[in-house]
Amino acid sequence: MEVVKALPFIVFFSYSKCESLQTSLLHAARQHVSGQDHLEENLGVSVSIMVAQFLQDAAYDQVQTIAKELLNLAEKCKRLKRESPSECAHQLVAAFLTHICNNQGLLNSHVFTDCCKMKTAARLRCFLSYKKDDADSHDTPLIPRPELTCEVAEENNVSLKERFSYEISRRHPFLYGPTILTMSACYETAVQSCCQEENKTECLRTKLEPIRKYIRGISARHHHLCEIGTKFNEKVASAVELILLTKKQPQANFPEIAKLTMDVKNLHETCCEGNTLACALGRRQLMSYTCSNQAILSSKFAECCEQPEPFRGECIINSENDDKPDLSPLLLTRFTEDWSVCQQFSSNQDSFLQEFLYEYSRRHLELAVPVILRVFETYKRVLEKCCKLENSLECHQPGKEVFQKVILESRDHVKTYCDLQKQLGSSSFQDRLTVLYTKKAPQLSAQELVVFVKKMAAVARGCCPLRDELQLACVEDQTKLILGELCRRHGGKPVNAGVGHCCDDSYAFRKPCFDDLRVDGTYISPPLSCDQAISLEEDLCQAQDEELQMEKQKLLSTLVKQKPHAAEDVFRSIGENFVQLVEKCCQAQRRDVCFQEEGLQLITRCQSLLEASSSQSRLM
């Protein structure tokens, strides 16, 4: 929801910005008056976040008990001044994992038995693999009965902030700790404010919903970033970091961006490894540097840098990109039209390519990270080919046209996608996507496919109405997260070779790869007749429109798996007949009789259509 192993304050993005949340941040910051050092004040909470993210099933009291036992070591890490606290923070994580292994019976954590047989880095990777980030099952209000919140706040001694951070941590195990601290402070401020209002319930619902949405969105992005860092090599991770920094701070010079990229790389693993304390210490250091160097980094950080911890970082995340500088096109042509390009490429390849990526990114702030990465990968391939030739300049000189072709291809894919959505309408568009993606990944269950398609359709609804230059970036930015989820599913339980290739081959070209996937010819569906596929129950009359559409799409998916080469109109016709039948029978006096009689006709129609299409496929 952009590797990498990056810190939360470096995860810059445009389309998940929530103005109401930014307002909440600033309001919370103004209310946040404390003479204490922020890290000192929240040291116990920081440690409990780490515990809750690793032990997602542990009760609140258990988490607090373990956190208190680790607090002495955490105090030692906090007090370090001259040396880097990262080593001490890593000792804290190691001590925590050892504590789990020594108390498995007490914690009911026998699932970690295999991990406890391992040592050091292998043990940590094993523990991380057990973290479950099932976002779909957590799309529920964090406070199911907000009207009771004020009573709890008044009657109990339990800190609302600590309880909230516990709930967030166990639901979102890859969400960076400093972000949890910030959102917990926003939550506490909102509750304190609303409990003074006459209509407490409505106030809480209004103020807590933006916080919930923000947490859900940024958690997906943090998880996505961490996966890139572990799945692809460090150069891909660095490239993503550099693009994000450059787009946020396009007026900063290359040495400064390169330095920041390296600084982030020195800290990124701590966040992705769930090392909350080291992440918080690193965040403080980098935020201090950023705000001390606003003049050379960005003109948009001033208001954020006036805020106290922990609001400063999240405020910068949601701040605007700095204004695009007035740049000479000559600086970019030197990467394609200069006679010394190959000499520079061969003598210091990494630095040369980094500088190209920096110069290209600051000239194309409108492009999403995956599109810029495609240009970058294409440029690298051009040089690898051309620099082996005698006439290398003639070979790489038309680079600008090559880059433009990459962008146009990406834009054409998105335009086709949006034109189709506009032409078909929301429901039929989802039907089309259901058919297409069932053919690409028939190994997924009908339920999984419908959920996946629902998310893809939501991208179209949100992005396609935007003007052209925003449309491409929006679709690319959102789609990368959804495809990342699909690849995560593939990693846990392989789907098929085609999906595997798209997930593993190239992060930059992942979306075009999925766009180009066709029918998976290796899949053989278990035989299923139409009477087994079509389930008609009176319960369907209680379904809302969206639920009925999902049932239709599950039916479509099931039928496509049976006859993947049949014409799409066949499936859509059966789906439409299904919805019409339900609507008709739910209005009938004798629903049971209607479902039985009309259902038999639909099953017969379905069977004959599939058999006819099967014959046509054989003839073709």
Side-chain angles (χ1 to χ4, degrees), residues 23 94 119 175 198 211 238 318 410 413 497 519 546 557 602 607:
T23 302
K119 295 187 181 298
L175 181 60
E198 184 175 347
I211 294 174
S238 296
N318 288 279
S410 300
H413 269 292
V519 176
E546 185 178 350
S557 179
L602 178 60
Q607 205 68 47

Side-chain angles (χ1 to χ4, degrees), residues 22 99 128 154 169 171 211 219 240 264 278 291 304 332 374-375 430 463 471 489 527 603-604:
Q22 187 76 324
H99 180 91
L128 288 170
E154 188 176 337
S169 301
R171 295 176 189 222
I211 294 174
S219 176
V240 173
V264 172
C291 289
C304 294
L332 200 57
R374 271 170 232 154
V375 172
Q430 283 191 228
C463 298
Q471 199 178 75
R489 158 65 171 83
I603 289 168
T604 302

Side-chain angles (χ1 to χ4, degrees), residues 528-531 602-612:
L528 188 73
S529 60
C530 283
D531 62 334
L602 178 60
I603 289 168
T604 302
R605 196 178 310 130
C606 166
Q607 205 68 47
S608 63
L609 282 170
L610 289 182
E611 288 171 0

Side-chain angles (χ1 to χ4, degrees), residues 145-350:
R145 298 183 65 188
E147 66 273 9
L148 299 180
T149 302
C150 294
E151 295 177 24
V152 172
E154 188 176 337
E155 294 174 6
N156 292 2
N157 292 323
V158 175
S159 164
L160 284 173
K161 184 166 61 177
E162 289 179 9
R163 188 77 197 203
F164 185 79
S165 69
Y166 161 76
E167 293 292 349
I168 294 296
S169 301
R170 61 201 293 261
R171 295 176 189 222
H172 301 280
F174 294 95
L175 181 60
Y176 296 157
T179 299
I180 296 176
L181 286 174
T182 307
M183 292 299 100
S184 298
C186 286
Y187 168 77
E188 185 178 52
T189 302
V191 170
Q192 290 171 349
S193 171
C194 287
C195 289
Q196 306 302 316
E197 298 291 329
E198 184 175 347
N199 193 338
K200 299 176 176 60
T201 301
E202 185 59 32
C203 177
L204 285 166
R205 287 200 178 109
T206 302
K207 291 194 174 184
L208 297 186
E209 184 60 14
I211 294 174
R212 184 190 72 83
K213 286 186 176 179
Y214 181 77
I215 288 170
R216 181 175 167 82
I218 200 168
S219 176
R221 290 176 182 277
H222 287 175
H223 197 174
H224 185 76
L225 286 164
C226 293
E227 285 182 323
I228 301 171
T230 54
K231 194 174 190 64
F232 299 97
N233 64 44
E234 285 299 309
K235 291 183 180 179
V236 176
S238 296
V240 173
E241 289 170 353
L242 190 147
I243 295 169
L244 290 168
L245 284 164
T246 303
K247 282 166 68 69
K248 193 71 174 178
Q249 303 156 139
Q251 305 214 36
N253 60 38
F254 174 65
E256 192 63 42
I257 292 293
K259 176 188 179 300
L260 281 172
T261 301
M262 288 300 298
D263 288 344
V264 172
K265 281 197 63 178
N266 290 335
L267 293 168
H268 59 24
E269 289 184 0
T270 59
C271 289
C272 289
E273 290 172 355
N275 195 333
T276 309
L277 183 58
C279 192
L281 289 165
R283 175 178 182 143
R284 164 188 278 183
Q285 184 178 5
L286 193 52
M287 282 297 94
S288 176
Y289 177 85
T290 299
C291 289
S292 298
N293 291 275
Q294 294 177 63
I296 60 174
L297 294 178
S298 173
S299 63
K300 305 293 185 180
F301 295 160
E303 187 176 17
C304 294
C305 289
E306 292 174 1
Q307 308 306 327
E309 292 183 90
F311 307 98
R312 183 184 292 179
E314 234 64 32
C315 181
I316 288 179
I317 290 172
N318 288 279
S319 65
E320 298 176 33
N321 288 346
D322 202 1
D323 300 326
K324 185 177 179 179
D326 185 14
L327 299 168
S328 167
L330 295 177
L331 283 174
L332 200 57
T333 58
R334 77 180 180 86
F335 291 97
T336 55
E337 299 178 19
D338 195 296
W339 64 269
S340 65
V341 165
C342 287
Q343 180 184 341
Q344 295 180 72
F345 178 66
S346 60
S347 63
N348 197 349
Q349 182 179 129
D350 289 345

Side-chain angles (χ1 to χ4, degrees), residues 434-446 448-449 452 486 489-490 495-496 498-499 514 517-520 523 557 560-561:
T434 301
V435 172
L436 291 177
Y437 278 98
T438 301
K439 291 181 177 183
K440 296 172 194 276
Q443 293 83 358
L444 296 176
S445 70
E448 287 177 310
L449 282 159
F452 173 80
L486 178 56
R489 158 65 171 83
H490 172 80
V495 179
N496 59 43
V499 169
F514 273 103
L517 278 183
R518 295 295 179 261
V519 176
D520 176 24
Y523 178 76
S557 179
V560 172
K561 291 180 183 185

